Amino acid sequence: MEKYTLKIIDIIDETDNTKTYFFEKPENLTWEPGSHTHIGHIGFDIGDQPRKEWVRHMSITTLPEENKIAITTRVPGSKSEFKNKLSELKIGDEVVFFKIGSRMGLRRINKPIILISMGVGIATMRPLILSFINDKTNISYLSNINIDSSDKFVFRNQLDRLADENYKNFWINSRKEFYEILSQSMKSEDAMYYLVGSDAFIKDIIQRLRANNVKIDDIVIDRKDERKQKFLED
């Protein structure tokens, strides 16, 4: 297993308690849009057993061509030792990246794509959106739906500037409005749905999609195969 010890080069406050951490990018390191990584605090792997409470699975917020790696997350978390330690880090400090992989890559199969995320889950969607804007091959259009009851939407200004006839954002602060938008999307042509959020949120949306005859193969979630199957079949 290859590990990368990366230095923090910038920290940006996105909204209250939400930060983006930027890390230096090694020349040989690349990844697909929508990829995830494991991040460990320095020392997590010392000893007979790794300190799992110092490790988190997180989405990579940037594209390789941006020449930096970033994660966006809510911090601190009083019940999360990982996030409490993360909130104490400063520019110049280091963390360890390992097990970079992808389950959320854009499927360019001549279907529209609907991205649905809850809160800071938009971090997973940002590189997918940028990838689509850079190359719209075999994707008829893309919609980005983000629901956040706080009304403090991460990346809103940046992503709204990219909107065009083939790409639209929906920033929603209530479940009622969200369900209305979701219902409208299911009346359009056969689409792919990408879901990011809590387990309860994902299960709810999958049930609604399946009730409207959306095929299992047209639903993409960032879960391991065995867990994904349980979500899709419940």
Side-chain angles (χ1 to χ4, degrees):
M1 178 178 64
E2 192 162 12
K3 298 177 183 177
Y4 300 88
T5 300
L6 305 183
K7 184 180 297 184
I8 298 174
I9 57 176
D10 200 6
I11 303 172
I12 293 178
D13 290 310
E14 301 287 357
T15 64
D16 293 346
N17 300 321
T18 300
K19 298 177 182 288
T20 297
Y21 292 80
F22 293 92
F23 303 87
E24 61 186 0
K25 175 188 171 298
E27 288 186 10
N28 66 330
L29 181 58
T30 189
W31 60 92
E32 296 179 10
S35 289
H36 58 262
T37 183
H38 285 74
I39 302 176
H41 290 293
I42 299 297
F44 83 93
D45 52 354
I46 295 175
D48 295 335
Q49 297 293 329
R51 299 188 63 167
K52 294 183 179 180
E53 66 274 17
W54 285 16
V55 177
R56 270 293 179 90
H57 171 283
M58 306 192 78
S59 295
I60 299 177
T61 308
T62 46
L63 295 174
E65 51 264 41
E66 294 180 84
N67 205 34
K68 52 193 173 185
I69 304 175
I71 59 167
T72 301
T73 186
R74 298 198 191 282
V75 289
S78 59
K79 295 182 180 180
S80 169
E81 190 169 346
F82 174 88
K83 287 195 175 183
N84 285 333
K85 288 180 67 64
L86 184 67
S87 68
E88 296 170 356
L89 297 182
K90 300 176 177 61
I91 293 173
D93 289 337
E94 296 178 328
V95 299
V96 180
F97 278 61
F98 61 102
K99 289 186 179 179
I100 295 175
S102 176
R103 293 186 284 263
M104 297 287 284
L106 288 180
R107 300 186 186 179
R108 299 179 180 273
I109 54 175
N110 294 308
K111 286 188 175 187
I113 290 179
I114 314 295
L115 307 177
I116 301 174
S117 59
M118 180 175 67
V120 76
I122 190 68
T124 304
M125 306 309 193
R126 178 187 180 273
L128 298 177
I129 293 167
L130 295 183
S131 181
F132 170 76
I133 295 298
N134 293 337
D135 178 8
K136 299 179 179 179
T137 302
N138 295 330
I139 300 174
S140 55
Y141 69 83
L142 186 144
S143 293
N144 169 48
I145 305 172
N146 182 250
I147 179 170
D148 193 329
S149 60
S150 74
D151 235 1
K152 296 177 180 178
F153 299 99
V154 180
F155 304 137
R156 179 171 185 170
N157 291 338
Q158 177 191 21
L159 297 180
D160 276 347
R161 288 196 296 268
L162 302 176
D164 60 27
E165 61 182 5
N166 300 116
Y167 165 55
K168 187 171 183 179
N169 293 305
F170 296 90
W171 307 101
I172 301 169
N173 63 9
S174 74
R175 283 294 178 103
K176 180 178 183 295
E177 183 183 0
F178 168 68
Y179 290 140
E180 290 172 354
I181 296 295
L182 179 63
S183 178
Q184 292 173 18
S185 78
M186 290 186 288
K187 293 176 183 177
S188 65
E189 57 186 298
D190 192 21
M192 297 285 305
Y193 290 84
Y194 286 59
L195 313 180
V196 174
S198 67
D199 285 358
F201 178 78
I202 291 175
K203 287 179 181 179
D204 176 47
I205 305 310
I206 288 176
Q207 289 174 358
R208 291 173 184 273
L209 294 175
R210 298 291 290 134
N212 283 270
N213 300 314
V214 175
K215 300 173 184 176
I216 287 178
D217 289 344
D218 290 337
I219 302 172
V220 181
I221 62 176
D222 190 10
R223 296 291 191 275
K224 293 180 179 179
D225 288 343
E226 59 270 21
R227 288 199 66 203
K228 177 180 178 181
Q229 206 60 32
K230 187 177 186 306
F231 271 98
L232 296 177
E233 291 179 351
D234 280 350

